[in-house]
Amino acid sequence: MSTFESVIGLEIHAQLLTRTKIFCGCPTSFGAPPNAHVCPVCLGLPGALPVLNEHAVECAVTAALALGCEVQLRSVFARKNYFYPDLPKGYQISQYEWPLARGGGVEIQAGGTTRFVRLTRIHMEEDAGKSLHEGFADSDRRTYLDFNRSGVPLVEIVSEPDMRSAEEAASFFERLRQMLVWLGVNDGNMDEGSLRCDANVSVRPKGSEVLGTKAEIKNVNSFRYLQKAIEYEIGRQVDVIEHGGRVVQETRLFDAAQGKTYTMRSKEEAHDYRYFPEPDLPPLVVDEARREALRAALPELPEARAGRFQTAYGLPAYDAALLTETREIADYFEATATASGHAKAASNWVMGEVLRTMKERGIAITALPVAPGALAGLIRIVERGTISSTVAKDVFAKMGESGRSA
């Protein structure tokens, strides 16, 4: 790699946190029996008409505003035509020429450097169903189809090719997940497919401004796998070039067990999806009043809150970053610090015993039996010198078991 540099862009598909699908009233909840959450609309039956979910639009606009995008006054849904068994209509309702939002970006830190990764666009679309290739007695001969996900609302967040390493790409994906969960527009559950990532990877000689031929790695659903997949793909492309070969444009999948990418399908020419405006949906208009109302409702964002924790409570940057990993942890810390009057002690307790207990029990901080006020009471007792910090850990454990105060 001493003579090459990698060029990476990501496309992230995030399921919007709505109770119902984007164009019908079917539930979006995960884990139902196959084909339990379907209706004529999401199955594409003749005569069924889509109706846009207002809450999905609010979630998408909220995400776009928080990411610094320019939300368009008018966006248009389009039919993306292609045949695949899990696509019941034979097309996917998405946005193409007129997306919901353009521009914006995210600041990331990786490898000791800070980089601003620009966004190209954010657009809304519906998810496809799911093809099941294994788990049945006749899986060697048949593919089963589950349409529960068909019509689930998504936003696709497309970055510019601004990242130069696998570590930066993983950092960007992690940062986006934090933002979307913080905003309450996505649950961040990658195991259930709520957040998926495609990576476009190419290499070029250092100093060149010409982009190399890219390969797309599809549907990576963890930060670690994304980093490993991109690292392998960079090495593969460099090896091809150094041995006199030519990198071909293709779609690849990542095999986590082998730590390798492999060819899924050739993509020598851009596929013609024959987009055209969706005739059953009018243009989506998000006027200035709606945009400003949603902007005013934005919560304090992680970076701003971490900065305030440093200035208002005198916390080190490391503590502030850890305490703002999720909005719930930040709320818990701040409530404890305010009630106890000892911000640094509250920080130490949350980063120590609280996070350890959450990890051991596999629970969110909202399910922790020790409320912020109760932890504040324990901190005050320690600060008065009534008990030592060592004894306090035993007291905290008993509080968690009994629900009693310190």
Side-chain angles (χ1 to χ4, degrees):
M1 281 298 295
S2 60
T3 59
F4 290 91
E5 74 169 357
S6 54
V7 179
I8 304 158
L10 299 185
E11 300 171 7
I12 292 172
H13 296 82
Q15 178 179 333
L16 297 172
L17 204 54
T18 61
R19 290 186 300 105
T20 56
K21 295 183 181 181
I22 189 169
F23 299 122
C24 68
C26 292
T28 57
S29 52
F30 181 82
N35 299 306
H37 293 168
V38 295
C39 73
V41 175
C42 55
L43 289 177
L45 300 186
L49 293 174
V51 178
L52 182 59
N53 183 331
E54 183 179 12
H55 187 215
V57 175
E58 291 175 350
C59 288
V61 173
T62 295
L65 292 172
L67 293 169
C69 304
E70 182 182 346
V71 176
Q72 305 298 293
L73 171 65
R74 180 178 180 273
S75 59
V76 176
F77 284 98
R79 291 187 180 183
K80 179 181 180 180
N81 293 272
Y82 64 97
F83 174 77
Y84 207 71
D86 61 17
L87 195 67
K89 295 191 290 284
Y91 60 86
Q92 177 189 27
I93 300 179
S94 182
Q95 292 182 322
Y96 182 56
E97 289 182 272
W98 298 279
L100 178 74
R102 300 180 188 273
V106 176
E107 187 173 273
I108 61 169
Q109 293 184 341
T113 61
T114 300
R115 183 186 298 277
F116 185 78
V117 178
R118 297 168 297 157
L119 299 182
T120 307
R121 57 188 276 146
I122 295 179
H123 65 259
M124 300 182 69
E125 63 185 19
E126 61 178 345
D127 206 350
K130 186 175 183 180
S131 297
L132 306 174
H133 303 293
E134 54 188 32
F136 301 94
D138 54 354
S139 289
D140 59 332
R141 304 184 304 280
R142 297 173 185 265
T143 292
Y144 287 77
L145 297 172
D146 178 7
F147 291 113
N148 282 345
R149 287 195 64 87
S150 181
V152 164
L154 305 176
V155 283
E156 182 173 341
I157 302 170
V158 182
S159 86
E160 292 288 321
D162 286 347
M163 289 155 279
R164 295 294 176 265
S165 71
E167 185 182 0
E168 287 185 357
S171 177
F172 174 80
F173 190 18
E174 192 167 2
R175 179 74 171 145
L176 259 187
R177 178 188 181 275
Q178 179 198 26
M179 288 284 288
L180 295 172
V181 174
W182 186 282
L183 295 166
V185 302
N186 177 267
D187 65 13
N189 195 327
M190 292 186 278
D191 290 337
E192 295 179 0
S194 299
L195 197 63
R196 311 189 295 272
C197 179
D198 301 339
N200 293 302
V201 182
S202 65
V203 298
R204 64 186 179 189
K206 282 187 176 176
S208 173
E209 295 298 318
V210 179
L211 293 175
T213 302
K214 69 180 180 183
E216 181 184 35
I217 308 170
K218 292 286 287 185
N219 289 335
V220 187
N221 66 347
S222 87
F223 310 130
R224 185 166 63 92
Y225 287 167
L226 177 67
Q227 186 164 343
K228 287 182 175 295
I230 293 174
E231 285 171 351
Y232 174 84
E233 183 59 24
I234 291 169
R236 184 191 72 83
Q237 292 187 21
V238 170
D239 188 62
V240 168
I241 295 169
E242 288 183 336
H243 285 82
R246 181 176 67 91
V247 175
V248 298
Q249 185 175 339
E250 62 182 350
T251 300
R252 299 177 70 86
L253 295 176
F254 178 62
D255 185 326
Q258 297 188 53
K260 298 179 178 181
T261 65
Y262 61 92
T263 299
M264 177 186 177
R265 60 176 177 262
S266 174
K267 203 173 183 180
E268 275 294 310
E269 301 295 334
H271 191 71
D272 180 11
Y273 290 114
R274 305 191 319 282
Y275 285 97
F276 63 86
E278 167 58 70
D280 294 332
L281 288 166
L284 171 60
V285 175
V286 183
D287 60 27
E288 185 176 356
R290 173 62 65 89
R291 290 197 300 272
E292 292 311 309
L294 291 171
R295 193 189 305 277
L298 287 175
E300 186 179 24
L301 298 178
E303 190 172 335
R305 199 162 190 186
R308 182 168 62 79
F309 282 2
Q310 292 178 68
T311 56
Y313 299 114
L315 297 182
Y318 175 83
D319 293 28
L322 190 61
L323 292 169
T324 53
E325 280 192 352
T326 73
R327 192 170 163 187
E328 291 76 17
I329 291 174
D331 290 344
Y332 187 99
F333 157 73
E334 191 149 28
T336 304
T338 301
S340 68
H342 298 281
K344 182 55 180 170
S347 169
N348 291 340
W349 273 95
V350 174
M351 293 192 301
E353 293 303 298
V354 169
L355 292 182
R356 182 186 61 78
T357 302
M358 290 167 55
K359 184 175 180 180
E360 286 179 351
R361 298 190 183 185
I363 58 173
I365 200 165
T366 51
L368 192 72
V370 183
L375 178 57
L378 175 59
I379 290 171
R380 287 195 298 269
I381 292 173
V382 175
E383 294 298 320
R384 286 201 301 264
T386 306
I387 60 174
S388 69
S389 57
T390 303
V391 172
K393 291 181 180 180
D394 294 332
V395 173
F396 179 83
K398 289 184 171 66
M399 293 168 67
E401 294 165 0
S402 67
R404 296 167 61 194
S405 69

